[in-house]
Amino acid sequence: MIAKFSKQNLINDILCEAKALGLRPETVEPIAIRTADEVEEWTKGRAEITEDDLARVTARELDQYNKDLGYAYNNRNKII
Amino acid sequence: MIDYASVGTVLLAALVHATLQLSLGSLLLLYHASLGKHIRIKTRRLASRYVTGVALMTLLVLSAACFIIFTLCRGAMSTAGLSFCIGALVGLAFCAWFLYYRSGRSTELWLPKSVASFINRRAKLTNSNVEAFSLGLLVGFAEMPFTLVLTIVSANSILMLPQIWQVTMLLIYTTVAITPLLVLRIGIRRGQTVVDVQRWRNKNKTFFRILSGAGFLVLAGFLLAFEIMGRT
C-alpha cells in the first residue's frame, strides 16, 4: 500500500511503541527524532514508497539504537 | 456413572482449542496498542474484559451446540455424523499444518487480509471495557472455522454425561480453552513485554503448528476408537 510520509506521525508512532515497551519518553525522544530524520532522508528522491518499505527502513534505523524497539516496530502489523 | 471416554474427548478438544493462536495474538495486539496509549491499570481492565468476551463466546457456542445436538439428534449424534466430524478433524489437522500460519517469519495467520486488518484496527481503537469485551466476542467468533468441529464433538460428549457433570465440563472446556490468555496476562503482569512474548511465539511457531495439527489428529483417532468402534 502506498504510504504518505509524515515526520511527526512517525515520531508519535515510535513514542507509542516505546511506551508499550515501558521505555522512558525522555530516553526515546532523541532516538525517535534521529530515526525520523534518517527515514526522511531515505524518502527523498523516491517518487512512491509503500507502508512496508517505510516500516522496514524505520525498523532498520531503530535497530541501531534499541533492538526491542526495532523489533516491535517491524512486527506491529504482523502479530495476527 | 461417568463416561471417562466422553470426559477425555472434552478435555482433548479443549486442549486443541487452547493451541489455536487467534485469540492469543489478538490479546497481544490489544496489549501492544493499549500500553502505548493508556496507563497500565486501564490496559489490565481492557485485557480482562477481552478475556471475558472470549470465554463467554466459547461457553455460548458450546452451550448452543449442546442444545442443537440435544434437540436435533435426540441426545447423541449418529455414527454417520460422528464420522463426518472425524473427517473434518483430519482435514483441519492438515489445514493446521499447512495453512494455519502464513509463510514467512511472522506469526500472521490464515485469516483473510481484510479480517486481519479489521481485528488489527479494532484492537488499536479499543478504549473502553465494552469495546474490549466485544473484541473478545468477535475473535471467539472469527476462530470458529477451526473451533466449530471441536465444539460439536465436545457438545456430543458432554450430553453423554450425568447432568451435574455436563455443567462442570462446559466450564472446564471454557477454562482450558482460555488458559493461554490467562497465562499471557500473568506473564505481562510479571514484567514480560509484548516483544518478549512475540519473539517467543515466533521462535516456537513450528512447534505450535505441529502441536495443533497433531492434536486434531489425536482427537480424531480418539473419537474413532472410543465413540465409534467402542460403542458398536
Coordinates of all heavy atoms in Angstrom, one line a residue, chain B residues 73 76-87 153 156 160 223-224 226-232:
Chain B
C73 N -30.7 -34.3 17.4 CA -30.2 -35.7 17.4 C -30.7 -36.5 18.6 O -30.2 -37.6 18.8 CB -28.7 -35.7 17.3 SG -28.0 -34.7 16.0
A76 N -27.7 -37.6 21.2 CA -26.4 -38.0 20.8 C -26.4 -38.1 19.2 O -27.3 -38.5 18.6 CB -26.0 -39.4 21.3
M77 N -25.2 -37.7 18.7 CA -25.1 -37.8 17.2 C -25.0 -39.2 16.7 O -24.5 -40.1 17.4 CB -23.8 -37.0 16.8 CG -23.9 -35.5 16.9 SD -22.3 -34.7 16.7 CE -22.0 -35.0 15.0
S78 N -25.5 -39.4 15.5 CA -25.4 -40.7 14.9 C -23.9 -41.0 14.5 O -23.1 -40.1 14.5 CB -26.3 -40.7 13.6 OG -25.7 -39.8 12.7
T79 N -23.7 -42.3 14.2 CA -22.4 -42.7 13.8 C -21.9 -42.0 12.5 O -20.8 -41.6 12.4 CB -22.3 -44.2 13.6 OG1 -22.9 -44.9 14.7 CG2 -20.9 -44.8 13.3
A80 N -22.9 -41.7 11.6 CA -22.6 -41.0 10.4 C -22.1 -39.6 10.7 O -21.2 -39.1 10.1 CB -23.8 -41.0 9.5
G81 N -22.9 -39.0 11.6 CA -22.5 -37.6 12.0 C -21.1 -37.5 12.6 O -20.3 -36.6 12.3
L82 N -20.8 -38.5 13.5 CA -19.5 -38.5 14.2 C -18.4 -38.8 13.1 O -17.3 -38.2 13.2 CB -19.5 -39.6 15.2 CG -19.9 -39.1 16.6 CD1 -19.9 -40.3 17.6 CD2 -18.9 -38.1 17.2
S83 N -18.7 -39.7 12.2 CA -17.7 -40.0 11.1 C -17.4 -38.7 10.3 O -16.2 -38.5 10.0 CB -18.3 -41.1 10.2 OG -18.6 -42.2 10.9
F84 N -18.4 -37.9 10.0 CA -18.2 -36.7 9.3 C -17.3 -35.8 10.1 O -16.4 -35.1 9.6 CB -19.6 -36.0 9.0 CG -19.5 -34.7 8.3 CD1 -19.2 -34.6 7.0 CD2 -19.5 -33.5 9.0 CE1 -19.1 -33.4 6.3 CE2 -19.4 -32.3 8.4 CZ -19.2 -32.2 7.0
C85 N -17.6 -35.7 11.4 CA -16.7 -34.8 12.3 C -15.3 -35.3 12.3 O -14.3 -34.5 12.3 CB -17.3 -34.8 13.7 SG -18.8 -33.9 13.9
I86 N -15.1 -36.7 12.3 CA -13.7 -37.2 12.3 C -13.0 -36.8 11.0 O -11.9 -36.4 11.0 CB -13.8 -38.7 12.5 CG1 -14.2 -39.1 13.9 CG2 -12.4 -39.4 12.2 CD1 -14.5 -40.5 14.2
G87 N -13.7 -36.9 9.9 CA -13.2 -36.5 8.6 C -12.8 -35.0 8.6 O -11.7 -34.6 8.2
V153 N -18.0 -31.9 18.7 CA -17.7 -33.2 19.3 C -17.7 -33.1 20.8 O -18.1 -34.1 21.5 CB -16.3 -33.8 18.7 CG1 -16.4 -34.1 17.3 CG2 -15.2 -32.9 19.0
N156 N -21.3 -33.2 21.9 CA -21.9 -34.5 21.8 C -21.4 -35.4 23.0 O -22.2 -36.1 23.6 CB -21.4 -35.1 20.5 CG -22.0 -36.5 20.3 OD1 -23.2 -36.7 20.4 ND2 -21.2 -37.5 20.1
M160 N -23.5 -36.9 26.9 CA -23.5 -38.3 27.4 C -23.2 -38.4 28.9 O -23.2 -39.5 29.4 CB -22.4 -39.2 26.6 CG -22.8 -39.3 25.2 SD -21.5 -40.2 24.3 CE -22.1 -40.0 22.7
L223 N -11.8 -40.3 18.9 CA -13.2 -40.4 18.7 C -13.5 -41.7 17.9 O -14.5 -42.4 18.2 CB -13.7 -39.2 17.8 CG -13.9 -37.9 18.5 CD1 -14.2 -36.8 17.5 CD2 -15.1 -38.0 19.4
L224 N -12.7 -42.0 17.0 CA -12.8 -43.2 16.2 C -12.8 -44.5 17.1 O -13.6 -45.4 17.0 CB -11.7 -43.3 15.1 CG -11.9 -44.4 14.1 CD1 -13.1 -44.2 13.2 CD2 -10.6 -44.5 13.2
F226 N -13.0 -44.7 20.6 CA -13.9 -44.8 21.8 C -15.4 -44.5 21.5 O -16.2 -45.0 22.1 CB -13.4 -43.8 22.9 CG -12.1 -44.3 23.5 CD1 -10.9 -43.8 23.1 CD2 -12.1 -45.3 24.5 CE1 -9.7 -44.2 23.7 CE2 -11.0 -45.8 25.0 CZ -9.8 -45.2 24.7
E227 N -15.6 -43.5 20.5 CA -17.0 -43.1 20.3 C -17.7 -44.0 19.2 O -18.9 -44.1 19.1 CB -17.1 -41.6 19.9 CG -16.5 -40.7 21.0 CD -17.4 -40.5 22.2 OE1 -18.6 -40.9 22.1 OE2 -16.9 -40.0 23.2
I228 N -16.9 -44.4 18.2 CA -17.5 -45.2 17.1 C -17.2 -46.7 17.3 O -18.1 -47.5 17.5 CB -17.0 -44.7 15.7 CG1 -17.5 -43.3 15.5 CG2 -17.5 -45.6 14.6 CD1 -17.2 -42.7 14.2
M229 N -15.9 -47.1 17.3 CA -15.6 -48.5 17.4 C -16.0 -49.1 18.8 O -16.4 -50.2 18.9 CB -14.2 -48.8 17.1 CG -13.8 -48.5 15.6 SD -12.1 -48.4 15.3 CE -11.6 -50.1 15.3
G230 N -15.8 -48.2 19.8 CA -16.0 -48.7 21.2 C -17.5 -48.9 21.5 O -17.9 -49.6 22.4
R231 N -18.4 -48.2 20.7 CA -19.8 -48.3 21.0 C -20.6 -49.2 20.1 O -21.7 -49.4 20.2 CB -20.4 -46.9 21.0 CG -19.9 -46.0 22.1 CD -20.6 -44.7 22.0 NE -19.8 -43.6 22.7 CZ -19.7 -43.4 24.0 NH1 -20.4 -44.2 24.8 NH2 -18.9 -42.5 24.4
T232 N -19.9 -49.7 19.0 CA -20.6 -50.6 18.1 C -20.3 -52.1 18.5 O -19.4 -52.4 19.2 CB -20.1 -50.3 16.6 OG1 -18.7 -50.4 16.6 CG2 -20.6 -49.0 16.1

